[in-house]
Amino acid sequence: MKNGYDLIIVGGGVLGTFHAYHALKHALKVALIEKDRTPQSATVRNFGQVVPSGMNSKWQAYGRRSLRIYKEIQEAFDISVRQEGSVYFAANEEEVQLLEELHRINQNNQYTSVLLTKEECLERYVGLRSDYVKAGLFFPEEIMVEPRLMVNKVHTYLKAVGLDLFLQNTVLECNKLSEGVEVYLSGGKTLLASKVIICNGSEFKTLYPRLFEESDLEVSKLQMMQTKPQGNFTLPSSILTGLSIRRYESFAECPSYHEIKAREDQDSLIKKWGVHILFKQATDGSVIIGDSHQYADAHRMDDLGTDLNMDIDDFIIQEAKKIIDLPTYDIQRRWPGFYSQCKTSDIYRNTIDDDIHVVTGIGGKGMTGSAGFAEENIAKIFNLQHA
């Protein structure tokens, strides 16, 4: 567009950022607008685990493409990627059965996974409790990033290859013109673009609030925490546990999954608070532990509040101690996270006036699936070829 952009993206989280990345790869002129000084929401309030192994078949494909994209960027510019793999630990025979079934599925999908015996798990992972683990399934290709650093590092990289980044600017309105879209910013600036993509996470009050109020979007509130540094203790790999096996979409494709799920205690605190236990060691030696899930419809998300329920945190720590003996469970940081998801579809997409595209509600798949999904979505919106 003359005197404007080919694309303006609203929202500087991982989903918006990777839309910018792929648009720039196609030599489009791109502006990325973020309302805060740095992204503050789900993109920086997660484990930093990129785990296609946890996705269903459709999103595993996006996730595997995301792995390649993360690694390609890392080769050009340090965005904190570490390829240390991911491992799932089974705590009983039902979970062992699910690991074996998922291993066979991934063999058919040509996605590398390695079954580990109890003895191999205990040998590889110091601190893992022998009275917990029965077997493991390791995915060597999977990566981790530092969530509070990664997206800002990608912004720095993209600025060097042509991105215009507007921080601390809230988009107040998007108006369709006879040719293109006019975008009004809180600082009084007006920008023009051929197309706009709105990746607003769970910010539903500024742009098109009625649209979100009438949608099937809901918001999940998570509770997470980070220990103090663990000294010389090393936790290799992202650690996912039996509760992850019972929760993640990939396992729902296993033949015995639904029968096993039907036998679960529906009145437990695990169910009440949506708890599953994950561990991921940060570069400073601390360990991120979580998490829980509580839900509210998009227009009622304020009902979730921002307080932390210490009973939930205490329960997460209690369960974590049954799995791994860390040198210390002293906590240095606790926080709530929020992400939006759809009740009836895997992601929310809505096109307004042909050239304004709303893309949000990616749920817990954002860190893993955004890079691969955004590649396809940019190609679709601009009618381009993609890998």
Side-chain angles (χ1 to χ4, degrees):
M1 171 176 266
K2 187 177 180 181
N3 299 322
Y5 293 94
D6 297 305
L7 175 64
I8 289 175
I9 299 167
V10 182
V14 65
L15 187 57
T17 296
F18 277 113
H19 275 86
Y21 170 80
H22 291 296
L24 289 164
K25 293 274 281 189
H26 286 288
L28 300 177
K29 187 178 181 183
V30 183
L32 179 64
I33 304 171
E34 165 57 43
K35 65 181 177 61
D36 295 310
R37 185 173 59 84
T38 64
Q40 299 292 314
S41 298
T43 294
V44 300
R45 297 180 180 225
N46 64 81
F47 289 90
Q49 297 172 325
V50 183
V51 285
S53 57
M55 307 289 103
N56 63 24
S57 296
K58 174 183 175 180
W59 281 90
Q60 187 188 97
Y62 290 135
R64 291 168 67 176
R65 178 60 183 148
S66 293
L67 286 177
R68 294 192 290 273
I69 292 165
Y70 276 112
K71 293 172 187 178
E72 287 169 7
I73 298 174
Q74 180 67 27
E75 288 181 2
F77 188 88
D78 180 16
I79 59 169
S80 79
V81 169
R82 291 180 284 152
Q83 184 174 340
E84 298 187 5
S86 304
V87 65
Y88 296 78
F89 292 134
N92 55 48
E93 293 306 319
E94 290 182 335
E95 292 163 7
V96 171
Q97 183 176 348
L98 290 171
L99 289 187
E100 291 171 347
E101 291 174 0
L102 186 65
H103 177 60
R104 288 193 289 271
I105 289 171
N106 281 292
Q107 284 180 314
N108 292 332
N109 292 342
Q110 297 183 314
Y111 188 48
T112 304
S113 62
V114 181
L115 282 168
L116 303 175
T117 65
K118 173 174 181 156
E119 291 71 27
E120 288 171 325
C121 291
L122 293 170
E123 182 178 352
R124 290 190 184 200
Y125 298 93
V126 176
L128 179 63
R129 291 181 61 96
S130 62
D131 57 352
Y132 176 83
V133 66
K134 297 287 188 257
L137 184 61
F138 179 63
F139 291 84
E141 297 177 22
E142 298 189 340
I143 64 172
M144 59 181 74
V145 300
E146 296 304 297
R148 297 174 187 268
L149 299 177
M150 186 277 294
V151 74
N152 298 302
K153 287 177 172 285
V154 176
H155 289 169
T156 301
Y157 171 68
L158 294 183
K159 285 168 64 179
V161 296
L163 176 70
D164 284 351
L165 179 62
F166 295 84
L167 299 174
Q168 293 182 288
N169 278 272
T170 300
V171 174
L172 302 176
E173 192 174 346
C174 298
N175 283 339
K176 180 73 168 72
L177 306 176
S178 58
E179 195 174 320
V181 182
E182 201 168 33
V183 177
Y184 297 92
L185 277 60
S186 55
K189 186 183 289 290
T190 301
L191 303 177
L192 297 175
S194 295
K195 297 183 184 297
V196 172
I197 299 176
I198 300 171
C199 298
N200 55 316
S202 55
E203 169 48 63
F204 300 129
K205 295 180 179 179
T206 305
L207 294 174
Y208 309 106
R210 179 63 63 85
L211 184 75
F212 299 117
E213 185 174 334
E214 296 174 351
S215 73
D216 74 336
L217 283 161
E218 63 180 1
V219 176
S220 177
K221 176 184 178 182
L222 297 78
Q223 290 190 197
M224 301 175 64
M225 65 198 83
Q226 189 168 7
T227 71
K228 294 179 179 179
Q230 301 286 333
N232 294 326
F233 177 84
T234 299
L235 193 63
S237 316
S238 291
I239 306 296
L240 304 100
T241 66
L243 296 179
S244 308
I245 292 170
R246 294 171 179 274
R247 183 177 182 88
Y248 277 4
E249 293 177 350
S250 57
F251 293 96
E253 297 181 344
C254 294
S256 61
Y257 177 82
H258 294 288
E259 181 182 346
I260 289 172
K261 287 288 285 185
R263 294 197 291 267
E264 289 182 352
D265 179 3
Q266 300 302 311
D267 297 322
S268 68
L269 292 179
I270 289 170
K271 284 291 185 180
K272 177 183 177 182
W273 290 327
V275 168
H276 72 132
I277 307 298
L278 309 176
F279 303 83
K280 181 253 183 162
Q281 191 163 34
T283 52
D284 69 352
S286 63
V287 174
I288 301 174
I289 304 171
D291 55 10
S292 59
H293 298 77
Q294 296 172 288
Y295 300 94
D297 290 344
H299 67 283
R300 298 291 302 272
M301 68 173 290
D302 288 348
D303 292 351
L304 294 170
T306 57
D307 293 338
L308 293 171
N309 182 333
M310 297 309 296
D311 288 340
I312 294 177
D313 278 5
D314 290 345
F315 180 74
I316 289 173
I317 292 173
Q318 171 188 314
E319 293 301 308
K321 287 180 175 179
K322 296 176 182 177
I323 301 169
I324 295 177
D325 290 325
L326 295 177
T328 178
Y329 271 92
D330 289 344
I331 302 300
Q332 65 172 330
R333 184 180 296 117
R334 304 172 189 262
W335 66 91
F338 299 88
Y339 64 70
S340 63
Q341 64 183 24
C342 292
K343 297 177 183 178
T344 58
S345 59
D346 53 3
I347 193 167
Y348 180 85
R349 286 186 276 188
N350 200 317
T351 299
I352 302 165
D353 296 330
D354 298 326
D355 292 324
I356 303 170
H357 302 270
V358 181
V359 186
T360 189
I362 196 170
K365 306 182 293 294
M367 193 64 78
T368 296
S370 289
F373 169 81
E375 180 178 41
E376 181 180 281
N377 201 40
I378 285 291
K380 180 179 179 181
I381 288 172
F382 285 92
N383 194 26
L384 301 165
Q385 295 293 319
H386 74 96

